[in-house]
């Protein structure tokens, strides 16, 4: 008993209490309730409905559309932003003029308010917007950006523009922690550039990468805010996301479908995060 | 070959600067256009938003993106600040929501992050996984239960409906834990040998070492909550209680006012960011994390 008190666990719980209590009240309990609701039929005395809500959900075409759009958007945008931010971070890690100014410029989009992005977005991608003006200036047909599949590209551009800088800062900090001697030794031993990249850069960047991947997934969901403000409740099919679907279910008070969709989304995120988490732990052990 | 090296340095700088221009472009446009006269704005951006009218489709008129105003004026700023008392009121609404969230979450998160990174207890990794999982959940996922919870706690239509969940949001815990993991365990072992307790270790060793991360967290939280839109729309009925972000998103039609309001809106964030960035860099150099 004495050992237990003097050990870490008692201290740990004390440090955890403020966060844990609030977290449970505002996140955990609401979430458990949402999952519970997804198995009931939504009448006043809420009967257990089994998987009926889930069956209805999967039969709904707009849900399937929203789920696959959300999945594809993350599946494309996250690897793309990782690759681009790594390239930029390695560029900034080189000897450049005005390096700190450049770094500031890359991160600045992060602090630009959503509403002004929406404003610029309209000016650029409206049917009568500037991008179409430039296109027709070069003799091309103008594109109905927000009403065709091109909308996907526009959303992707906004996501990349807004979030790359943040990733670059994190990766740059990681790169600067790798001692230069490692590369010099590798060079003497005849390792090529690619080999150095794979065996030194990537290995020592693992912990920064884990963070960047999680943040990129999180931010890929957050781009919804911009999409919502520009295109409203029912945007073009190609950018109709799960959040649109859930918002609309909330508006039409279809709480059963909303909570079932939420539970499914949570399940998918759980799978992805567990995978990443396991990978990270394995790497940490490997590094120690 | 110093000459060749110099050429390479210039070439790389030019490439990096070209990308930087692309990133700065929207901010630059917002700034210069906020200084235009209302008349110039309506001539330039009049054709926008006529998407669905067949006539406008056929018409060859385009909006005219201009970087340099014909005439520099503060007319739009005057309209925002003097024309509508709403702006200032909502500015304060934003401040009174965001400051408690940022201060509260930073404090709560540093404690929890210490437990998650430097203390051993049963179920630690599983509990942390729950935090990360919750952090990744879009707002819509827990919309209904959050609404019910706010109702039961009497928070509906009050700033508290945003502030309390904000303070306990898991993001800060996640971020600070990642930084604390990189602090070698040896520091803590050594302090324990000298008889230091956890409160001492936390306050005297860990916190000073993660100052750069704390600066970064403060900026990120500030940006995120300064921009919140979904929560106030759901939790606040009263339009006079809304934060600036909601007001700004509702300016439709008057593009000139929107430019000026955007500039005023992002100024606190940009200033905080520039201030914290220098602190951030300094912090990394001082703390010797650089290696």
């Amino acid at each position: 008993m004495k050992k237990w008190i003097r050990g870490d666990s008692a201290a740990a719980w004390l440090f955890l209490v403020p966060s844990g209590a609030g977290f449970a009240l505002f996140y955990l309990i609401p979430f458990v309730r949402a999952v519970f609701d997804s198995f009931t039929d939504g009448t006043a005395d809420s009967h257990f409905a089994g998987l009926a809500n889930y069956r209805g959900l999967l039969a709904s075409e707009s849900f399937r559309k929203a789920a696959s759009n959300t999945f594809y958007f993350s599946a494309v945008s996250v690897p793309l932003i990782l690759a681009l931010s790594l390239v930029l971070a390695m560029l900034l890690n080189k000897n450049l003029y005005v390096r700190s100014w450049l770094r500031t410029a890359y991160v600045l989009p992060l602090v630009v308010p959503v509403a002004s992005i929406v404003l610029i977005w309209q000016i650029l991608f409206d049917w009568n917007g500037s991008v179409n003006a430039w296109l027709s200036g070069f003799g091309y047909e103008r594109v109905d950006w927000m009403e065709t599949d091109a909308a996907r590209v526009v959303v992707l551009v906004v996501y990349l523009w807004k979030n790359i800088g943040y990733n670059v800062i994190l990766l740059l900090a990681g790169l600067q922690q790798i001692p230069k001697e490692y590369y010099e030794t590798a060079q003497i031993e005849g390792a090529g550039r690619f080999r150095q990249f794979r065996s030194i850069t990537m290995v020592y960047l693992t912990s920064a990468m884990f963070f960047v991947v999680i943040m990129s997934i999180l931010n890929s969901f957050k781009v919804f805010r911009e999409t919502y403000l520009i295109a409203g409740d029912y945007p073009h099919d190609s950018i109709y996301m799960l959040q649109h679907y859930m918002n609309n279910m909330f508006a039409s008070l279809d709480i059963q479908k909303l909570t079932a969709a939420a539970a499914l989304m949570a399940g998918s995120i759980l799978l992805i995060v567990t995978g990443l988490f396991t990978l990270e732990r394995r790497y940490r052990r490997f590094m120690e | 070959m110093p000459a060749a090296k110099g050429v390479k340095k210039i070439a790389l700088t030019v490439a990096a600067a070209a990308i930087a221009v692309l990133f700065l472009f929207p901010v630059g446009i917002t700034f210069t256009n906020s200084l235009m006269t209302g008349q110039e704005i309506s001539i330039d951006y009049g054709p926008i938003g006529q998407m669905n009218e067949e006539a406008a489709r056929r018409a060859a008129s385009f909006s005219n993106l201009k970087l340099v105003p014909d005439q520099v004026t503060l007319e739009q700023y005057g309209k925002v600040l003097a024309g509508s008392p709403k702006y200032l009121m909502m500015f304060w609404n934003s401040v009174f929501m965001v400051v408690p969230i940022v201060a509260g979450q930073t404090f709560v998160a540093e404690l929890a992050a210490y437990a998650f990174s430097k203390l051993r207890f049963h179920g630690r990794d599983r509990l942390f996984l729950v935090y990360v999982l919750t952090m990744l959940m879009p707002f819509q996922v827990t919309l209904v239960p959050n609404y019910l919870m706010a109702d039961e706690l009497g928070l509906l239509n009050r700033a508290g409906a945003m502030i309390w969940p904000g303070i306990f949001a898991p993001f800060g815990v996640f971020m600070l834990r990642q930084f604390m993991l990189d602090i070698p365990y040896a520091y803590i072992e050594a302090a324990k040998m000298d008889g230091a307790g956890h409160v001492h270790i936390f306050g005297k060793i860990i916190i000073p070492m993660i100052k750069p991360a704390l600066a970064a967290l403060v900026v990120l939280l500030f940006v995120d909550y300064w921009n919140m839109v979904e929560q106030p729309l759901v939790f606040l009925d009263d339009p006079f209680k809304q934060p600036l972000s909601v007001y700004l998103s509702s300016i439709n039609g008057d593009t000139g006012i929107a430019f000026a309001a955007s500039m005023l809106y992002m100024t606190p964030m940009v200033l905080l960011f520039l201030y914290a960035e220098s602190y951030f860099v300094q912090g990394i150099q001082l703390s010797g994390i650089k290696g």
Side-chain angles (χ1 to χ4, degrees):
Chain A
M1 189 66 191
K2 208 174 171 194
K3 199 184 161 207
W4 181 80
I5 287 174
R6 289 183 62 192
D8 278 352
S9 26
W13 291 112
L14 284 176
F15 276 95
L16 263 181
V17 162
S19 168
F23 178 74
L25 189 60
F26 290 103
Y27 292 91
L28 213 53
I29 295 172
F31 181 66
V32 171
R33 270 165 77 166
V35 174
F36 180 78
D37 280 351
S38 75
F39 292 104
T40 62
D41 62 1
T43 50
D45 34 339
S46 63
H47 294 289
F48 181 69
L51 292 173
N53 295 323
Y54 291 87
R55 246 176 260 129
L57 188 69
L58 291 173
S60 136
E61 201 168 311
S62 52
F63 171 76
R64 291 206 305 258
K65 185 173 70 188
S68 69
N69 279 340
T70 303
F71 177 77
Y72 279 117
F73 184 74
S74 299
V76 171
S77 65
V78 173
L80 190 62
I81 201 171
L82 281 182
L84 291 175
S85 12
L86 189 58
V87 169
L88 273 184
M90 287 170 72
L91 180 63
L92 273 191
N93 197 31
K94 291 220 163 31
N95 192 11
L96 300 177
Y97 295 104
V98 293
R99 201 160 74 166
S100 65
W101 284 91
L102 291 168
R103 192 188 51 202
T104 305
Y106 292 158
V107 199
L108 203 63
L110 195 71
V111 299
V112 176
V114 175
S116 44
I117 299 174
V118 170
L119 189 63
I120 306 279
W121 184 334
Q122 263 169 339
I123 292 171
L124 289 176
F125 296 106
D126 191 88
W127 174 251
N128 298 316
S130 296
V131 174
N132 277 345
W134 298 329
L135 280 180
S136 69
F138 288 108
Y140 292 103
E141 279 286 306
R142 49 176 158 170
V143 178
D144 202 346
W145 293 99
M146 296 316 293
E147 295 302 324
T148 56
D149 283 353
R152 226 177 238 158
V153 180
V154 177
V155 176
L156 182 64
V157 168
V158 172
Y159 167 75
L160 293 175
W161 172 78
K162 195 173 172 71
N163 297 305
I164 279 185
Y166 177 54
N167 290 356
V168 167
I169 293 284
L170 288 167
L171 293 175
L172 193 60
L175 284 173
Q176 284 171 349
Q177 282 176 48
I178 307 175
K180 288 239 159 49
E181 299 86 62
Y182 290 2
Y183 291 103
E184 283 157 16
T185 316
Q187 225 161 8
I188 292 165
E189 285 173 4
R193 276 184 173 225
F194 180 69
R195 183 67 219 248
Q196 287 177 30
F197 174 73
R198 216 190 56 194
S199 308
I200 303 173
T201 313
M202 287 316 281
V203 170
Y204 284 89
L205 228 47
T206 312
S207 125
M209 269 293 189
F210 172 73
F211 193 64
V212 170
V213 170
I214 299 257
M215 290 311 297
S216 299
I217 297 174
L218 177 66
N219 291 327
S220 81
F221 295 144
K222 277 193 182 160
V223 81
F224 164 77
R225 198 183 280 171
E226 282 89 344
T227 315
Y228 177 75
L229 288 178
I230 183 117
D233 288 324
Y234 293 97
H236 181 258
D237 270 9
S238 64
I239 50 170
Y240 187 78
M241 300 290 178
L242 269 175
Q243 291 102 304
H244 288 106
Y245 179 81
M246 292 189 222
N247 264 358
N248 294 342
M249 288 302 114
F250 183 66
S252 61
L253 293 175
D254 195 337
I255 306 306
Q256 267 45 55
K257 278 214 178 91
L258 168 58
T259 50
L264 279 184
M265 188 169 191
S268 324
I269 297 175
L270 174 68
L271 283 180
I272 296 168
V273 174
T274 319
L276 287 171
F277 210 55
T278 318
L279 265 178
E280 195 228 8
R281 248 190 310 183
R282 199 167 294 167
Y283 262 98
R284 266 191 201 285
R285 229 169 264 158
F286 169 72
M287 298 274 293
E288 280 160 11
Chain B
M1 292 280 277
K5 237 182 181 175
V7 171
K8 194 182 165 199
K9 187 173 171 180
I10 290 170
L12 286 176
T13 305
V14 169
I19 301 166
V21 169
L22 221 57
F23 278 83
L24 290 177
F25 178 71
V27 186
I29 299 280
T30 310
F31 175 62
T32 58
N33 285 3
S34 71
L35 298 171
M36 283 180 186
T37 60
Q39 203 188 3
E40 196 181 345
I41 297 256
S42 64
I43 293 171
D44 288 342
Y45 302 118
I48 295 240
Q50 299 170 354
M51 275 209 180
N52 298 320
E53 290 165 32
E54 269 311 303
R57 274 174 184 275
R58 267 180 265 114
S61 68
F62 287 111
S63 76
N64 180 21
L65 191 63
K66 255 202 298 201
L67 208 50
V68 185
D70 290 338
Q71 191 193 335
V72 173
T73 160
L74 293 177
E75 182 190 327
Q76 308 300 337
Y77 288 95
K79 273 195 231 166
V80 174
L81 292 173
S84 61
K86 248 181 136 180
Y87 180 87
L88 283 177
M89 202 166 81
M90 293 188 162
F91 181 88
W92 287 115
N93 288 347
S94 280
V95 170
F96 288 128
M97 272 178 222
V98 175
V99 171
I101 293 176
V102 174
Q105 193 184 135
T106 307
F107 176 71
V108 168
E110 55 191 25
L111 295 173
Y114 179 66
F116 277 123
S117 62
K118 291 289 172 248
L119 299 172
R120 297 190 182 96
F121 61 93
H122 188 67
R124 178 177 80 168
D125 288 355
R126 237 168 289 152
L127 185 59
F128 183 68
L129 183 65
V130 174
Y131 269 68
V132 177
L133 199 62
T134 310
M135 178 184 84
L136 287 172
M137 232 55 93
F139 170 70
Q140 284 75 15
V141 170
T142 47
L143 187 54
V144 178
N146 274 333
Y147 189 87
L148 295 176
M149 186 62 83
D151 193 17
E152 281 156 23
L153 296 173
L155 292 174
L156 276 189
N157 212 14
R158 287 159 174 245
M162 265 66 57
I163 294 172
W164 291 107
I167 289 174
F168 298 107
F171 173 73
V173 180
F174 170 69
M175 183 173 168
L176 295 181
R177 173 207 179 243
Q178 290 306 112
F179 278 84
M180 288 185 194
L181 280 179
D182 287 336
I183 299 174
Y185 210 77
Y187 285 98
I188 291 163
E189 300 278 280
K192 269 187 183 168
M193 293 287 209
D194 295 339
H198 282 295
V199 175
H200 189 87
I201 295 174
F202 172 76
K204 292 274 154 62
I205 299 176
I206 302 288
I207 292 302
M209 286 189 86
I210 59 155
K211 269 188 185 159
L214 287 174
L217 178 65
V218 166
V219 174
L220 288 173
L221 289 180
F222 186 81
V223 169
D224 208 26
Y225 287 97
W226 194 250
N227 262 326
M228 88 185 135
V229 174
E230 293 105 320
Q231 295 91 323
L233 280 178
V234 172
F235 292 127
L236 298 173
D237 275 340
D238 188 346
F240 291 101
K241 288 183 180 169
Q242 298 288 352
L244 205 51
S245 42
V246 171
Y247 168 71
L248 197 57
S249 327
S250 68
I251 309 177
N252 273 323
D254 201 329
T255 313
I257 286 198
F259 278 125
S262 287
M263 278 317 290
L264 290 172
Y265 177 89
M266 72 170 110
T267 305
M269 283 193 283
V270 172
L271 291 179
L272 177 70
F273 168 71
L274 292 176
Y275 169 74
E277 202 197 11
S278 55
Y279 182 75
F280 189 68
V281 173
Q282 201 188 14
I284 289 176
Q285 285 160 350
L286 286 178
S287 63
I289 289 178
K290 210 175 161 188

